[in-house]
Amino acid sequence: MESVKEQFDEISKKYDSQRRILIPCYDDFYGIATEWLHFNTTTPKILDLGAGTGIFSQFVLEKYPQAEITLLDFSEQMLTVARERFANLKNVSFQIADMTLFEPQGKYDAVISSLAIHHLSDEGKQELFRKINGILNEGGFFVNAEQVKGSTDYIHSFYTQRRRLRLDNSELSKEAVEASYERNKLDKCASVSEQMRWLQEAGFKEVDCPFKYYIFAVLWGMK
């Protein structure tokens, strides 16, 4: 994970400006993930794991402006950008920690994550899913806007080819595209079907994949 941290420290200041190109389904990806958070309170307690610069949390705060959100990430540089994004918001806090080692502060109404958990091994993902289930209130949600693997090698190869074709012909500089490919070498993606099964095994009573576009998927579970 130290290699992952180093790469995201390096990209922190450019991270947001590249998102809409690197994620062609950006609005649906984050928008649908946010739709699947629905509470009976205007002040839900939410934990954002691997929060990065706070993109997902920003979508959530547009829907629930009084939500109490903690952004957790092991990259201090990424959280520096997030602090600038949420300057003066007293209902947003920050924690520098590894998402696999953090100590939860009580129970949460939701745990969210985006483009972070795929850096863990399959065993690490399953362990984290169990931990997340354990820190959620009954009826609480886990929403993971994630990068996933194709269901077969053939399908995943097609995803990769399509992504390279799009990025190689995008407005991103050659250096930015190559840096993206280098970050991808650290990915340990799992398929949607595998992760939905792991969520069920972790104790989630309802699971779904309400959105998928090639390698981008929204995974959802309710305790």
Side-chain angles (χ1 to χ4, degrees):
M1 291 295 287
E2 187 60 31
S3 296
V4 176
K5 178 181 181 298
E6 289 173 359
Q7 291 214 13
F8 281 93
D9 283 346
E10 183 177 345
I11 193 63
S12 59
K13 294 187 183 300
K14 301 176 183 177
Y15 188 83
D16 285 6
S17 64
Q18 298 178 0
R19 291 301 90 189
R20 287 187 177 275
I21 301 172
L22 293 172
I23 308 172
C25 54
Y26 182 96
D27 289 312
D28 284 337
F29 184 56
Y30 287 106
I32 291 174
T34 304
E35 281 181 13
W36 281 70
L37 292 167
H38 38 88
F39 308 103
N40 295 322
T41 176
T42 59
T43 57
K45 185 178 180 182
I46 300 171
L47 175 65
D48 187 346
L49 289 179
T53 63
I55 293 175
F56 194 176
S57 283
Q58 182 173 14
F59 272 80
V60 174
L61 283 167
E62 289 171 1
K63 183 178 181 180
Y64 293 99
Q66 299 178 62
E68 180 185 337
I69 299 187
T70 299
L71 283 73
L72 182 149
D73 201 285
F74 62 2
S75 170
E76 188 171 356
Q77 282 83 352
M78 294 287 272
L79 286 183
T80 295
V81 178
R83 286 189 174 93
E84 294 171 358
R85 183 192 296 274
F86 301 117
N88 303 319
L89 289 185
K90 298 185 182 301
N91 54 319
V92 178
S93 59
F94 307 90
Q95 183 178 353
I96 300 171
D98 186 323
M99 64 182 167
T100 65
L101 303 173
F102 76 97
E103 292 298 326
Q105 304 299 311
K107 295 277 189 174
Y108 297 89
D109 297 305
V111 174
I112 64 175
S113 187
S114 61
L115 302 174
I117 296 175
H118 67 273
H119 294 121
L120 304 181
S121 66
D122 288 353
E123 294 76 14
K125 294 182 185 70
Q126 293 172 71
E127 184 176 347
L128 183 61
F129 292 168
R130 290 190 292 269
K131 186 172 185 178
I132 291 169
N133 184 268
I135 64 176
L136 283 172
N137 290 318
E138 199 66 29
F141 303 110
F142 172 45
V143 182
N144 186 18
E146 184 60 297
Q147 186 172 309
V148 299
K149 183 174 68 175
S151 55
T152 67
D153 289 342
Y154 174 83
I155 292 171
H156 191 71
S157 176
F158 182 76
Y159 288 173
T160 301
Q161 291 171 21
R162 293 300 302 172
R163 182 172 185 270
R164 282 186 171 273
L165 179 63
R166 180 174 52 78
L167 289 183
D168 288 346
N169 291 280
S170 73
E171 62 191 71
L172 285 178
S173 68
K174 182 178 179 181
E175 291 75 18
V177 171
E178 289 301 321
S180 173
Y181 294 155
E182 282 300 309
R183 291 195 298 275
N184 289 156
K185 292 178 181 179
L186 300 173
D187 294 344
K188 300 173 183 177
C189 298
S191 69
V192 167
S193 59
E194 287 174 317
Q195 295 188 73
M196 289 181 66
R197 173 167 53 82
W198 296 339
L199 289 171
Q200 290 175 321
E201 292 172 351
F204 288 91
K205 65 181 179 182
E206 300 279 355
V207 300
D208 195 19
C209 175
F211 175 80
K212 185 173 183 296
Y213 179 92
Y214 289 94
I215 65 170
F216 299 103
V218 173
L219 298 161
W220 173 88
M222 182 174 73
K223 181 172 179 177

